[in-house]
Amino acid sequence: MSKKLNKIKSAVLGGMMAAVSVAGSFSAVVPSMSASAAGSDDYAKLLQYSLYFYDANMCGEVGTKSAMSWRGNCHTSDEVTGGFHDAGDHAMFGLPQGYAASTLGWSYYEFKDAYDATGQGEHLKAITDYFCDFFKKSTKLSGDSVSNFLYQKEDGNVDHSYWGAPENQTGSRKMYWTSNGASDIAADYAAALALNYLNFGNAEDLKYAEALYKFSTQNNQVATDGPYGFYNSSSCVDEQANAAGWLYLATKNESYKNDCASKQAQYLGWVDGWENRELGAACVYAHITNDWSKVNDWIGGKANGNGYFFLDKWGSARINCSMQFTALVASKNSSADYTNWCKGQMNFITGDNPANTCFVVGFAPNSAKNPHHRGASGFNSYDEFNGEAHPQSISPNGHSLIGALVGGPTDASGGGYSDDMNDYVANEVALDYNAGLVGAAAGLYSVYKTGSTVSSIEGVDKIYSGSVNPVQTTTQQPIQTTTSSSQQGQNTTVTTTQGGGSSSSGGAFEAKLNQKVDYTALPKDDKMIGWKWADLGVTSGKPTKVEINISANGNIGKWQGAFGSSTSVQPDYWTQTEEMQETFNGNTGTITWDISKADSDIIQTKYNGELKFGIWWIDCQQFTIDSIKVYTDGAGGSSVVNTTTPVNTTQTPSNTTTPGGSSSNGATEAKLNQKVDYTALPKDDKMIGWKWADLGVTSGKPTKVEINISANGNIGKWQGAFGSSTSVQPGYWTQTDDMQQTFNGNTATITWDISKADSEIIQTKYNGELKFGIWWIDCQQFTIDSIKVYTDGAGSSAVNTTTTTRTTTTTTTVTTQGGNSGAVTLLGDANGDGQVNIADATAIVQYLGNRDKYPLDSMANADCCNQGDGVTGLDALAIQKIEAGMYKVSDLPVRE
């Protein structure tokens, strides 16, 4: 096995590739994945198979613990036995082992329903228990403190000098202990142990988790001796943030919550993986706060398009599956919906790709058959391995490495793959590779409920399987959603067909609905169902209480959502407080909104609109609204027959107007009256930017910024950040004590005290742009009335400033810096050298990253894809397609 690439190398791999990926569009470089691979939606079998790779890589006194018939005890003379072999080798590296164990536990925590339905819960527990038993044996405790910690077994270079089965590898192996380091690995182990406690309740797991976390934060040093050259780590903060989040959920100890919050990355830039846990940490923090905006802002820019999601040629399928898993987690827990995108990506992984290969061993007839794995290869030495003609395939004495995810394609087209055991870049397997696959398979089964487990598998003598009874996704009376889009917005119509209604006395109306609901089919923007009060039979009186009775084929579990009453799609009144209660009893439940406890002024004006029932998350994905009972302050009444409930969403275009400003005493104030529609801001950054000079700052360095906003209704609260940089991905973001906000109903002032920010960064960045990030706000539309900038110099006037809002919508003006915006001379020739090649794509990516530093020679030529929409990442992708031979320059339409 070759040495591993660390995150830093991966992140800068082919600078242009990384930059395009940041723009959220790199996956579009590959062909569409519209075809359906045979068996690609057999998620029950995929989950079943993907777990067996861990049985193949068990180390120590395996005995009957491994389900693989061809595995036996190995390395029993290790000072500490157990754990898992890293990849196709037999060393034990801490970071990928800790990452894999915690990710497997996380997948069960999120998608327990999938494990239970497919009978895989027992198998998952056997694997995570084996991980955690080893973690505890590797930790020497003195009271509640760690005195010594084993973070690695065997030198990687020594281990790689051997090719053969682990059972035949003898001799002593080097043990790597520390009493004051390996904080990154200790934190990963802590996360895995905390999750195992959350999932299965072993108190000893939690005891060791807390001790390892304390050890990690007391020392704050990454492991270098041993991992160097294989799994290099740059920081332990991301692992600590992730562990702290799970420890908070396990203990409700506020100190863990505070640690998780303070250790969050300022912005995300990679998938969750063995070296970079920032996205995973952001997900667990979102669980704690119920705010998924930061997670979705990043995932939403990547989980789109029909192409193969590709960030690195080394283990590209691993990265893809990890992204699928976190996207499915976000889909379950927030209003985002990436499920269809994940389904398309898994279709690609399981065989619908240019290589016509399923990258999961044993899963399909066209599965990869020659993974780079010593134990499964059947060869007993390097002499055999490098025998006649340097074989590309495993020995006739080899074994099928069931469920293993190979590295996959080495280019974004998906065709750069050969089933060659010597090719460790494309055919490597590893603990961390399969963790994302397991999570994605569980998430996809949880959503789609398709496939079935099998009762016989080659080389497996312990079959974990269960009776799969998927919830039916097709009902006699489904909710039908019809969506049409235009530049004016989106219109969603939900049609509900209902039986008759009956009335009762005492001011109560009851509508018998029998309305089938598929949670995953609800509109992803609001997960909301609406009925007119009149459609529910309420013909007199004002509603005072609503009871919604639901049922499901299985356990309902728990529900999170809200009620509202308004004719607006963004309701003027939502509630998720003491006036809302739910009572569940297995497969039935009642959810109640006591309107009489709600804000009386609001209800007095809004009761006569619609009843809105929002479903943000529910354990059961499909359920039935059996009936709705509405109590009023009047008499009861009428029947409900065949109601039709339209739900309309309309987005208001964002307009920017800046009429100028005034200044006094070292402060410059620009009067903007700039209208902002939060929903129309770009999903990747939700960011607005102005040049300092455009705000009237012509002298001195900014020391403080005050942004004054107003809205037609209550602003509520805001979450976001400030930055000052010329880069689209700003070099400086802040969301700390240098940022304050004061809200007063429909007005607010949001302040950035630059003097408290990092002085070294500000010294170099203050002269770029002011960036105002809006990650979440209660009011969807608001006005930036003015911006006041304090400086260490004299104030000046801001007259007729130009407001630049970097968005992807067609209704927002984007001011570009430099470049020729004249006539087209040669589409795609962004750098003006008379040719169209990869250099032009690079020029576009550089321009998008820093428009001031990298102006384009020809803006008109650069705008070669979707011409007329300005220069975007899609233009760079179009040029890459030309470079890849997917089509010619002449295929690009020339504007008249």
Side-chain angles (χ1 to χ4, degrees), residues 382-394:
Y382 270 109
D383 288 339
E384 289 186 18
F385 176 71
N386 293 319
E388 282 187 33
H390 299 281
Q392 297 179 342
S393 57
I394 65 174

Side-chain angles (χ1 to χ4, degrees), residues 26 122 207 212 232 236 244 308 323 342 429 432 443 475 481 496 532 537 599 627 692 694 703-705 749 768 771 844:
F26 190 80
E122 181 188 357
K207 173 185 175 181
L212 281 165
N232 300 348
C236 57
Y308 178 53
M323 176 60 89
C342 293
V429 291
D432 61 303
T475 64
T481 61
T496 63
K532 293 285 187 183
D599 188 311
S627 65
W692 290 116
D694 291 338
T703 58
K704 187 169 73 171
V705 172
T749 299
K771 297 293 180 64
I844 291 173

Side-chain angles (χ1 to χ4, degrees), residues 131-147:
F131 269 117
C132 290
D133 287 347
F134 174 72
F135 297 163
K136 289 180 285 190
K137 288 192 295 181
S138 299
T139 306
K140 294 184 178 180
L141 291 183
S142 176
D144 64 351
S145 299
V146 176
S147 59

Side-chain angles (χ1 to χ4, degrees), residues 29 31 413 836-838 877-889 891:
V29 73
S413 74
V836 178
N837 53 36
I838 204 67
L877 295 173
I879 294 170
Q880 290 179 72
K881 290 181 181 180
I882 293 169
E883 183 77 3
M886 296 175 65
Y887 56 73
K888 301 175 182 178
V889 176
D891 294 330

Side-chain angles (χ1 to χ4, degrees), residues 545 572 702 823:
K545 186 169 72 170
D572 297 291

Side-chain angles (χ1 to χ4, degrees), residues 498-503 510-513 535-537 637-642:
Q498 303 166 196
S502 62
S503 63
E510 185 171 10
K512 303 290 188 181
L513 275 75
D535 292 337
L536 296 175
S638 59
S639 298
V640 183
V641 180
N642 297 325

Side-chain angles (χ1 to χ4, degrees), residues 823-845:
V824 174
T825 55
L826 176 60
L827 276 179
D829 181 19
N831 63 8
D833 65 357
Q835 303 177 62
V836 178
N837 53 36
I838 204 67
D840 298 297
T842 302
I844 291 173
V845 170

Side-chain angles (χ1 to χ4, degrees), residues 310-341:
F310 179 92
L311 289 184
D312 190 346
K313 71 175 182 179
W314 197 300
S316 70
R318 157 201 52 153
I319 293 171
N320 185 292
C321 287
S322 177
M323 176 60 89
Q324 286 186 56
F325 172 50
T326 50
L328 288 162
V329 168
S331 297
K332 171 195 166 186
N333 292 291
S334 74
S335 61
D337 187 356
Y338 311 111
T339 54
N340 191 56
W341 180 83

